[in-house]
Amino acid sequence: MVDLEAGCPGALRRVADHEVDPAWGVSLPSDRERERVAESLGALCEAGVGVRGAREEDGPGTSPLFVASGVFTADALPHLLPGPDWTRLDVSGGGRAGRQLDLREAMLVRDDTENGLRSTRFLSAGRPGIGVLVATAPTERFAVRAPFEDEPPAVEQGRAADTWWARSCDGDAGIAVAVRDRWSTQDGRRSLERVVAWSADAHSIPEVEPIVQRVVEAERVGVAALVDEHRAAWRRRWADADVVVEGDPVLQRAARLAVYHLLTAAASHGAAAIGPRGATGAAYGGHVFWDADVFVLPALAAIAPDAARAVVRYRIDRLPAARSAARALGLGGARFPWESAASGVDVTPDLVRAPGGGTIVVRTGDQEEHIVSDVAWAADLVARWTGDARFLDGPAGELVLDAARYWASRVELDAAGRGHVRDVMGPDEYHPAVDDDAFTNVMARWTLRRAAALVDARGGPTEAARRWREVADDLVDGWDAARGTYEQFAGYWTLEPLLADLAPRPFGADMLLGPERVAASQVVKQPDVLMLHQLVPDELVPGSLPAAIDAYEPRTCHGSSLSPATVAGLQARAGRADEAAATLDLAARIDLDDLTGTTAAGLHLATMGGLWQALAGGFLGVRPVDGALHVDPCLPAAWASLRMTFRFQGEVVSVLVDADGIEVRCERPLHVVVHGRPSSCDPPGRRWAARPVEEAS
Amino acid sequence: MSTVLAAVDNSPAAGPVLAAARRLAGATGSSVRAVHVGEPGRPAPQELADRLAVELTVVDGTGREVEDVLLESFRAEGVRMGVVGARDVPGGARPVGHIAQRLVESSEVPVLVVPPDAPESAGRPPWRVLLPLEGDEETSRDLAGRLARLLPSDVELVVLHVATAATAPVVDHAEWGISLWAEEFLARYCPTASRVDLRSGDVGGRILEACADVEADLVVLSWSQDTSAGHAAVVRDVLAHTTIPVALIPVARRRDATSTATSASDAGAEG
């Protein structure tokens, strides 16, 4: 047995000493075929910057990557700018086994005992823009080598004394990294302590001198101290954001993986451009979709509110481009793009190569107009969760107002005075070019009404508010009283009545049946009507959720990774907790089991946001309503308890549900509504017995 | 040096068989030989063999089934691949003849099945080879490596995946998701392929369509040689309708209650 600690510098011993708690560890696949899946699962992120978990020796079939969300290339179809690779080492003979992501300490640990290779790396949560990589291996298989030797010629490099630096640039964007290495050799083993500093900027080329100074200072502080800072920071983070599920180990692991990546998806300042896979991979070019506004932001609003504000800031900064886009269409307000990158113009590809050859015209960019409402909804959600009454007084409120202006100009009135939105695509992308998509129309209605209320609150012109309310009231929403739910779009019920029982879910019905057949059927890719029940339940006919689930869940094939968590949360809301748990399992395993075959390109960050929302809003039943925290849990039989910690109105709140009842812990007095009954909660907390609702003694 | 061994008779199919064997041998640096099971009163195709400059061995098959003799020849040391005609005469879609059927089911080495109407001029290097893959790690993992040993080094491999109920990929944001899925599929199962062609529907039918669409010179199917009920429908379908040679690669398979069809040719009921 190789003594891995022999010859280790003191800091390396300290780092290598920690054992990964099984409740907090994600073991990376060790087979060659899933090398890239392992890299995604082993990705470390911090403040929107990410480094994939590629093995230090890289090699064929690997895809190491260091990127920053929102920092794009200058191409016509921009993608995330690859930064210099600082994890590459000249080490040989290592295997793929023994790698784990330690979520509690946010470290990637490699313990290759068979080959005597050990490494640990982390992106410091205690010191912005600093990372550490320590490694040890037998001397004959670990060569001393300067960093960045394998970078392509386009990457600028240099050296300042004992500091190596490299800088990737494209257009106005750049990522610069500075490295200081400390090598040691003892008893046949070579060890490395590497401290790195980086700077990434979407709008200016980073200067080298500041990161050189920062890495020199960090090295002076010492790896041991950096480790301590980092661990302390994560202890605080987990104390304020942990999810504890008793009774489902897979879900527990998935929930903590989700919280880790949500907490690290964006910085707490500036503007955050969060792509569907965050900074864990190059998928989608890092473009920003509704995933950021509707799936990621709601979780951030609760566990990282400043990051949520940064997501809204990203949209605010691109309001001018959105206004221009609306004007170009002859419409008012702002038309946010389906896919957005640095500039805010639409970067949705026009064509895609068809699976069997030829090309397919991409229509999402033109038709998924619901993004306009999604942006407005997200801004409003931040205000509701943070309790920041003034949040919408400023630029964030303009997002809501401009969205209303857009819809007011977009809605067409028929001879009977009913409002229609024609030729759109809802979240269910299997059905393009439909009229009166329920999600689009109801979200537009919510937007118009919300904007009217905002105008009234500001004491501004009331004609606009009146007009918007009128348009909202006139909008058709597809309500079908006979069915007790909303028709997904005009004519949906006349389509071929296929259910999503053609294959084990999740499956891509468009891949299985072909896009033409599926568009002519009732099979649904992901929640559309059901999505309304999650986002704007108060806009819907009360009590209509069960009928909506009965109508649409059997037709939903989960052809989108965004789908299962949404459905699960709603099933829990409808009291179908056991079904909900089974559905949520699909979301939990999307990346852990690579259900889509695309985890190699990055983790499904938006799914993680959906998972968090399903747990919080679905199973715990927490919602901010008029300044009160509503709690209405519904847990499956298999779970002994569920506890979630988050921030509500700026203060840390913890909600625990177990067989005995509900416990809310708070830092200041809270208005709570438990199972529909108004109540209060004073610090440190209060307990309610299990239903019927009675105050615990 | 390894050998490509062509099984020939006196039918019109022998010409394309021998020509295909020669092309494959020439492209892979193998030797090429032919074997004929002699029958009383019927001459061996010596003239054909001489014309194509292929050494012909005539084996006395008295008292034995022709296919048993050929299988024995295929098992000889150094045989890299056996080559056989699908049937003796052209005439549209039909099942393969009983000798070819027996050879593909029982041969331990890959068998190239050549339809009698396969174009003789086809297959000038570099070849384009269609490789249907289910994406099952048990069979697909080793297949790319075996192909590298069987085929010329400069082939263009086009992977075909026919999505079934068990494998229809979930693709977010279709304008990106298909390529993401395709990149990983290739990286995982066939890194040397130039691209993956994704289709859905009847597996055998999609294979045949893809052969024509991509202008394949050859299609490679891996299979377990299991011809029991519910198996091998795709192999039968392709062999009956193909107009280009089909290389059948036998793969070992665990036969237990939990095993599922793991190659395009073993798609079972949906094939």
Side-chain angles (χ1 to χ4, degrees):
Chain A
M1 175 96 170
V2 175
D3 181 358
L4 291 178
E5 295 186 7
C8 283
L12 179 60
R13 184 176 299 114
R14 181 195 290 260
V15 170
D17 264 351
H18 82 269
E19 295 286 332
V20 180
D21 186 331
W24 291 87
V26 176
S27 294
L28 307 193
S30 59
D31 52 300
R32 182 191 64 78
E33 287 75 19
R34 290 185 293 165
E35 179 73 44
R36 291 156 302 282
V37 173
E39 292 174 3
S40 293
L41 286 171
L44 294 170
C45 297
E46 179 60 36
V49 169
V51 61
R52 285 172 61 85
R55 292 181 297 149
E56 286 80 10
E57 59 269 43
D58 293 338
T62 65
S63 57
L65 191 68
F66 179 56
V67 291
S69 290
V71 180
F72 297 99
T73 63
D75 302 305
L77 186 63
H79 55 271
L80 290 176
L81 175 68
D85 179 9
W86 53 268
T87 62
R88 178 79 184 261
L89 300 176
D90 191 351
V91 64
S92 61
R96 294 181 175 85
R99 293 182 292 166
Q100 289 192 82
L101 176 64
D102 184 339
L103 292 168
R104 179 160 57 190
E105 305 208 321
M107 294 184 180
L108 180 64
V109 178
R110 181 179 185 184
D111 191 0
D112 185 355
T113 53
E114 182 178 342
N115 299 295
L117 194 159
R118 198 166 196 174
S119 71
T120 300
R121 63 173 87 154
F122 61 92
L123 305 185
S124 176
R127 193 171 288 251
I130 293 294
V132 170
L133 167 63
V134 294
T136 181
T139 305
E140 66 274 14
R141 290 193 273 116
F142 193 7
V144 177
R145 195 175 185 214
F148 309 128
E149 282 194 2
D150 297 304
E151 291 299 303
V155 174
E156 193 184 349
Q157 298 187 37
R159 188 175 175 183
D162 292 334
T163 303
W164 304 85
W165 62 265
R167 184 166 59 188
S168 303
C169 305
D170 197 357
D172 294 334
I175 302 176
V177 178
V179 166
R180 288 182 70 86
D181 287 344
R182 185 177 296 182
W183 296 88
S184 63
T185 304
Q186 184 175 345
D187 299 333
R189 296 190 61 77
R190 176 163 286 134
S191 302
L192 167 67
E193 291 180 6
R194 169 169 289 178
V195 180
V196 302
W198 66 80
S199 178
D201 199 312
H203 306 292
S204 67
I205 307 300
E207 296 290 331
V208 169
E209 183 56 28
I211 58 167
V212 169
Q213 290 179 1
R214 192 145 37 88
V215 76
V216 169
E217 171 60 18
E219 194 203 32
R220 186 194 65 76
V221 166
V223 168
L226 294 175
V227 167
D228 288 343
E229 287 177 352
H230 174 74
R231 283 174 167 163
W234 271 102
R235 277 197 295 273
R236 290 191 295 272
R237 285 181 177 179
W238 284 115
D240 293 348
D242 198 8
V243 177
V244 183
V245 183
E246 202 176 342
D248 191 333
V250 173
L251 179 60
Q252 173 68 85
R253 184 172 297 112
R256 283 183 170 147
L257 182 65
V259 170
Y260 167 74
H261 279 289
L262 290 165
L263 287 175
T264 58
S268 58
H269 54 82
I274 303 178
R277 306 291 179 101
T280 66
Y284 308 110
H287 295 178
V288 182
F289 297 71
W290 76 316
D291 306 43
D293 311 277
V294 168
F295 290 89
V296 177
L297 178 141
L300 295 183
I303 62 175
D306 287 338
R309 291 188 179 91
V311 174
V312 176
R313 169 56 62 181
Y314 170 83
R315 294 298 191 185
I316 291 170
D317 290 349
R318 284 149 191 85
L319 197 47
R323 286 169 174 160
S324 295
R327 277 198 302 274
L329 294 170
L331 299 171
R335 169 60 162 103
F336 280 94
W338 179 239
E339 287 188 46
S340 180
S343 66
V345 301
D346 186 15
V347 291
T348 311
D350 294 325
L351 299 170
V352 65
R353 190 176 182 281
T359 54
I360 297 175
V361 175
V362 176
R363 292 185 275 189
T364 50
D366 291 336
Q367 296 188 358
E368 287 212 60
E369 296 178 52
H370 63 82
I371 183 75
V372 173
S373 301
D374 304 334
V375 169
W377 179 88
D380 181 72
L381 181 81
V382 171
R384 282 188 279 132
W385 264 104
T386 63
D388 183 351
R390 301 189 63 83
F391 185 65
L392 295 182
D393 289 348
E398 295 303 310
L399 297 175
V400 181
L401 299 181
D402 267 329
R405 293 181 185 112
Y406 179 85
W407 289 118
S409 65
R410 178 69 170 85
V411 171
E412 304 168 25
L413 294 181
D414 63 20
R418 290 169 303 192
H420 304 275
V421 182
R422 305 187 197 279
D423 197 25
V424 295
M425 187 189 302
D428 169 29
E429 294 166 344
Y430 287 166
H431 297 93
V434 300
D435 296 335
D436 293 326
D437 168 65
F439 182 82
T440 303
N441 282 23
V442 175
M443 287 296 287
R445 184 172 73 194
W446 174 87
T447 302
L448 289 160
R449 289 171 174 169
R450 186 66 188 92
L454 194 58
V455 167
D456 288 348
R458 287 183 175 187
T462 59
E463 175 57 26
R466 187 201 65 77
R467 162 77 179 133
W468 292 343
R469 287 194 174 96
E470 196 175 83
V471 174
D473 291 343
D474 291 338
L475 256 177
V476 302
D477 61 8
W479 173 249
D480 182 340
R483 294 177 191 267
T485 186
Y486 298 81
E487 186 180 34
Q488 182 170 305
F489 52 80
Y492 174 82
W493 292 119
T494 66
L495 300 178
E496 182 185 1
L498 279 182
L499 300 183
D501 57 358
L502 307 168
R505 291 185 287 184
F507 69 94
D510 54 341
M511 296 295 153
L512 188 62
L513 303 178
E516 292 78 19
R517 172 109 189 267
V518 81
S521 79
Q522 293 176 9
V523 174
V524 167
K525 179 179 185 179
Q526 65 185 80
D528 188 296
V529 170
L530 284 176
M531 198 73 200
L532 289 170
H533 287 271
Q534 172 161 313
L535 300 192
V536 290
D538 297 333
E539 276 292 320
L540 307 176
V541 172
S544 62
L545 175 59
I549 294 175
D550 291 341
Y552 289 106
E553 191 278 337
R555 292 167 168 82
T556 304
C557 66
H558 300 314
S560 163
S561 63
L562 304 174
S563 181
T566 300
V567 172
L570 293 170
Q571 287 171 320
R573 287 295 82 221
R576 305 175 188 182
D578 291 340
E579 284 178 48
T583 307
L584 192 66
D585 183 66
L586 297 178
R589 294 188 298 110
I590 284 276
D591 287 319
L592 293 177
D593 289 350
D594 190 22
L595 294 185
T596 70
T598 65
T599 293
L603 301 182
H604 293 74
L605 183 65
T607 301
M608 293 175 175
L611 184 86
W612 190 94
Q613 289 187 71
L615 288 169
F619 292 93
L620 273 193
V622 295
R623 277 184 77 198
V625 181
D626 298 329
L629 184 67
H630 285 229
V631 183
D632 185 25
C634 180
L635 298 196
W639 299 2
S641 69
L642 171 63
R643 184 180 71 228
M644 297 184 73
T645 308
F646 48 86
R647 287 184 180 274
F648 176 62
Q649 298 184 341
E651 304 293 334
V652 177
V653 175
S654 178
V655 178
L656 167 68
V657 177
D658 57 24
D660 296 328
I662 303 167
E663 177 186 276
V664 176
R665 300 188 68 80
C666 56
E667 295 178 332
R668 65 172 181 80
L670 278 181
H671 295 294
V672 294
V673 177
V674 178
H675 287 313
R677 293 179 62 171
S679 187
S680 63
C681 180
D682 293 320
R686 180 176 171 180
R687 191 166 185 84
W688 290 259
R691 292 194 192 205
V693 175
E694 294 174 5
E695 182 173 350
S697 60
Chain B
M1 177 184 286
S2 58
T3 300
V4 175
L5 184 63
V8 293
D9 58 12
N10 263 310
S11 73
V17 168
L18 214 48
R22 279 192 69 205
R23 284 199 301 275
L24 182 61
T28 57
S30 307
S31 67
V32 56
R33 291 192 291 110
V35 60
H36 172 75
V37 180
E39 297 173 87
R42 302 186 72 174
Q46 189 64 58
E47 185 183 336
L48 173 66
D50 290 344
R51 177 158 55 84
L52 294 181
V54 176
E55 177 188 335
L56 175 65
T57 302
V58 179
V59 180
D60 181 4
T62 304
R64 301 176 65 191
E65 297 291 340
V66 169
E67 49 268 37
D68 288 335
V69 178
L70 291 175
L71 279 171
E72 193 174 279
S73 300
F74 282 5
R75 284 193 205 104
E77 186 174 345
V79 174
R80 163 199 292 249
M81 179 177 281
V83 185
V84 66
R87 59 195 73 81
D88 52 4
V89 291
R94 282 181 295 157
V96 294
H98 73 279
I99 293 177
Q101 181 75 27
R102 177 77 192 287
L103 289 177
V104 301
E105 287 176 8
S106 304
S107 171
E108 292 157 19
V109 299
V111 176
L112 185 69
V113 180
V114 182
D117 44 4
E120 292 207 21
S121 62
R124 281 188 292 276
W127 292 357
R128 180 173 294 150
V129 176
L130 185 73
L131 177 62
L133 287 179
E134 274 196 36
D136 171 76
E137 293 183 9
E138 181 184 349
T139 55
S140 301
R141 176 185 303 155
D142 190 44
L143 189 57
R146 295 183 68 183
L147 283 181
R149 293 188 290 274
L150 285 170
L151 297 176
S153 59
D154 60 347
V155 295
E156 180 194 354
L157 274 178
V158 177
V159 168
L160 169 70
H161 179 71
V162 183
T164 64
T167 66
V170 170
V171 173
D172 295 333
H173 308 301
E175 59 269 32
W176 294 91
I178 294 174
S179 62
L180 289 181
W181 175 89
E183 280 174 29
E184 178 60 12
F185 190 91
L186 286 184
R188 194 175 295 191
Y189 301 119
C190 196
T192 56
S194 62
R195 59 187 170 94
V196 59
D197 190 319
L198 175 63
R199 304 188 184 212
S200 63
D202 167 66
V203 178
R206 296 297 89 77
I207 292 174
L208 292 163
E209 282 174 7
C211 285
D213 292 343
V214 308
E215 298 179 316
D217 299 303
L218 175 70
V219 58
V220 175
L221 300 178
S222 66
W223 73 316
S224 65
Q225 298 176 303
D226 183 354
T227 57
S228 59
H231 292 83
V234 170
V235 167
R236 282 194 292 270
D237 192 11
V238 172
L239 288 177
H241 294 89
T242 185
T243 58
I244 62 172
V246 180
L248 290 166
I249 315 290
V251 292
R253 181 187 308 270
R254 286 180 306 200
R255 297 176 188 273
D256 58 33
T258 61
S259 69
T260 57
T262 56
S263 77
S265 58
D266 267 350
E270 79 280 6

